[in-house]
Amino acid sequence: MAELFNYACVDGVGIVTIDAPPVNTLGAATRAAVMQAMQLAWADDAAQAIIIACAGRTFFAGADIAEFATGHFADPDFITLFDAIENGPKPVIAAIHGTALGGGLELALHCHYRLAVPSAKLGLPEVNLGILPGAGGTQRLPRLVGVPVALDLITSGKPIKAAQALELGILDRLATEGQLQADALAFAKELIASGATAPRVRDRDDKIAPYRGKPEVFDAFRAQNARAFKGFKAPEAIIKAVQAAVESPNFDEGSKREQALFLELMNSPESKAQRHVFFAQRMTAKVPDVPADTPTRDLKRIGVIGAGTMGGGIAMNFLNIGLPVTLVELKQDALDRGVGVIRKNYENSAAKGRMTEAQVEQRMGLITPAIGLEALADVDLVIEAVFESMAVKQDVFTKLDAICKPGAILASNTSFLDLNEIAAVTKRPQDVIGLHFFSPANVMPLLEIVRGAKTDKSVLASALNIAKAIGKTPVVAGVCHGFIANRAMEPYMAEAEALVLEGASVLDIDRVIRDYGFAMGPFQMLDLIGLDVIGRDSTRKTVMSELVKRDRLGQKKNGGYYDYDAERKATLSPVALEVIAELAAEKGVAQRSFSDEELLGRLLYPVVNEGAKILEEKIASRPSDIDVALIMGYNWPVYRGGPMFWADLTGLPKIVAALRGFEATYGARYAPAALLVQLADAGKGFGSL
Ligand code: CAA
């Protein structure tokens, strides 16, 4: 344990430094180290005040999230440790750098004074894990910042910068960047000299008193955020805990309420799912046969082919991090339009105060618009976002092979095509990779990295690096039709179409999917993205292709499955109902009604089944990669943990039995994957892989 902390007394100040890499999480060993170091400081007669600081890249990053799965906290638990600090005999100063998050900030709130360097960030991100700050955060933060700000900070989970924390009263002062230790020491000496006491946040009442007996403040907050909070358990529990801070007859009663609400959340499926996602997101960049020390290529100049919606969005990712982009089109008017759209996007951001005019100009200045692929001779990475056709892509890659410098990475943004066939037209298939962005490419957080049969490991490692640099979560996929996210969701869209022909209502399907937690159902989504995007090229006669034939393209033109009024309010379209009835009659599909449970199983179990096939074929390295791909690429509700995690919670035998039932009624396409059956028979889940 000794190496986890250091204690020294300097000029009458006891300095406790915790060193638990990588991010000083407050796991059991770290808590014990803090306790031990504090006991030394309390016992040290020379120390009249105490500083708690951390070594390494950050102040405490909070509880060790893995410890939640054990269901309890080993001694010393958070409350025991933090209460000891707060009630200790000497004033304690938290000296913060990096990020003080969750339990880390709560520890600081139990200290008597807080200072931080300007680059530090402070926050209570527990809501993102489906829990609440259960170590006193919901009781103490409102006492420093008042109810509205506390509700906002805790339910959003967003960290704030040190300057704002100072303004809000969370910090007592800012230290000079790079001089935290010296400034903390000077602060401590000042406190000692002035005979300062050890004020406890828990004793403050001034900021919460105005909200006592005002339940309407909490109700209004609930109502304002109803949409964002829908389906999540934690935000409501947070509101209740903060209300308890205000309304309880004394501090300890409020704390008890916080504890009870915390325990309820910790054991909820929603929190288990969100904790799974936390670790899953950090796993995706780890590719089993590509070690962290794999050499990478320097990507300083980027080329993007195609200035349409996709190409423009892709380009913005690189402009945002200061990399110059050569943007290529075939014709001047398309190029001008594309550059114009990028400018408009940035100007919209500037109008909303998210960037300055100077930043808009700086980003626009990084674009080199060009006609013709020859302009890409000296880029380090080129990404094509041209028409989704093998012939067109192969033509582009043949030309790139002749034009681009040796060592350049040649990437395709294809969403379905065989990357190996694209790579095969070049003499450098090792340099070819798929970088599949999701639309809108400047917003969606997922980047599917498609690894061809011959893709070099250094190319893959470089792609993982650039994903991180542009703030995307990478998921690595092997080559197959649709890769991970699109492939796994294909059965879902197919089921929605099949179900309406069998008599299920469009309204019920969309509602069941919304109740599950998606922002919208499949038909609402199709109407939003435009039916022509998929339906125009459909080789089969489907409800969608028939609607497109009638020039119903969704929200953008004439409505689709729904009709839209001037306020975009949707009502089920009689035309769509007619098309469905005609097609069902033509295909001779028997009509019946469906329970909600049956609808959900028909829509989502095939996704789980496809996920199992994706694993069998080693297209994804691990089940959690599929979860991340669907959460970040298709907005699968995060509190369900993604399809594979949800399948484990549902029980694989139940899913296998349902799929077998569908298979008996509707045919072989529902046959459960061998891996799914094998796991179910063994009483295991995808998590065991
Ligand atoms: N528990 C367990 N492991 C954690 C962790 C935590 N709280 N925070 C980070 N880690 C692990 C990561 O999984 C990662 O592990 P690997 O290297 O094995 O993948 C490693 O630490 C480094 O993390 P990042 O890759 O995320 O590093 P970063 O520099 O990009 O970000 C960070 C650092 C901002 C601190 C980020 O890790 C983070 O946001 N961590 C979570 C913070 C959080 O949610 N804290 C609240 C915890 S709940 C709580 O505290 C409850 C309470 O009320 C007591």
Side-chain angles (χ1 to χ4, degrees), residues 447-623:
L447 180 63
E448 230 172 24
I449 300 182
V450 186
R451 182 179 191 178
K454 295 190 176 156
T455 304
D456 194 81
K457 287 183 187 176
S458 74
V459 172
L460 180 54
S462 307
L464 288 165
N465 268 356
I466 200 81
K468 185 167 183 192
I470 61 175
K472 302 279 185 212
T473 299
V475 170
V476 178
V479 175
C480 67
H481 181 78
F483 315 120
I484 296 175
N486 284 345
R487 174 172 166 184
M489 286 304 266
E490 222 170 48
Y492 163 77
M493 298 310 293
E495 286 310 311
E497 162 92 17
L499 281 164
V500 288
L501 290 182
E502 289 166 38
S505 108
V506 166
L507 290 175
D508 285 343
I509 291 174
D510 278 348
R511 175 182 49 77
V512 161
I513 288 300
R514 280 196 313 272
D515 287 350
Y516 178 81
F518 282 90
M520 58 185 93
F523 299 110
Q524 292 174 291
M525 187 181 84
L526 287 170
D527 270 6
L528 184 68
I529 61 176
L531 305 195
D532 53 328
V533 173
I534 310 173
R536 176 100 66 207
D537 299 321
S538 177
T539 47
R540 292 180 309 119
K541 190 171 177 185
T542 62
V543 175
M544 195 178 359
S545 68
E546 286 305 296
L547 288 170
V548 173
K549 259 192 219 151
R550 291 171 202 222
D551 206 26
R552 292 184 65 86
L553 306 187
Q555 287 198 25
K556 67 181 170 192
K557 194 171 180 198
N558 298 333
Y561 295 91
Y562 296 90
D563 287 326
Y564 298 88
D565 68 12
E567 273 88 47
R568 288 227 199 136
K569 204 168 140 358
T571 45
L572 192 54
S573 157
V575 185
L577 289 179
E578 200 182 288
V579 168
I580 291 167
E582 273 174 29
L583 205 60
E586 191 181 315
K587 296 192 175 189
V589 187
Q591 303 289 294
R592 67 182 182 92
S593 61
F594 292 81
S595 72
D596 286 359
E597 198 191 343
E598 202 180 353
L599 286 180
L600 193 69
R602 270 287 293 281
L603 288 160
L604 298 188
Y605 291 166
V607 177
V608 174
N609 203 27
E610 199 63 38
K613 291 177 196 167
I614 286 171
L615 288 169
E616 275 171 8
E617 294 167 28
K618 303 207 179 323
I619 298 297
S621 311
R622 48 182 87 87

Side-chain angles (χ1 to χ4, degrees), residues 22-23 25 57-58 61-66 68 78 99 101-104 106 125-126 129 131-135 262 278-279 282 286 468:
V23 293
T25 48
R57 65 191 207 229
T58 178
D64 177 352
I65 295 163
F68 295 141
F78 282 92
T99 40
L101 297 178
E106 289 173 298
E126 283 87 343
L129 301 167
I131 53 171
L132 56 71
F262 173 80
F278 176 87
F279 289 115
R282 282 161 178 76
K286 293 176 187 146
K468 185 167 183 192

Side-chain angles (χ1 to χ4, degrees), residues 34 56 70-71 138 221 280 289 292 314 322 403 422 441 444 475 492 505 507 588:
V34 176
T70 66
T138 66
F221 185 78
D289 66 333
I314 293 173
I403 292 167
I422 297 175
M444 291 295 281
V475 170
Y492 163 77
S505 108
L507 290 175

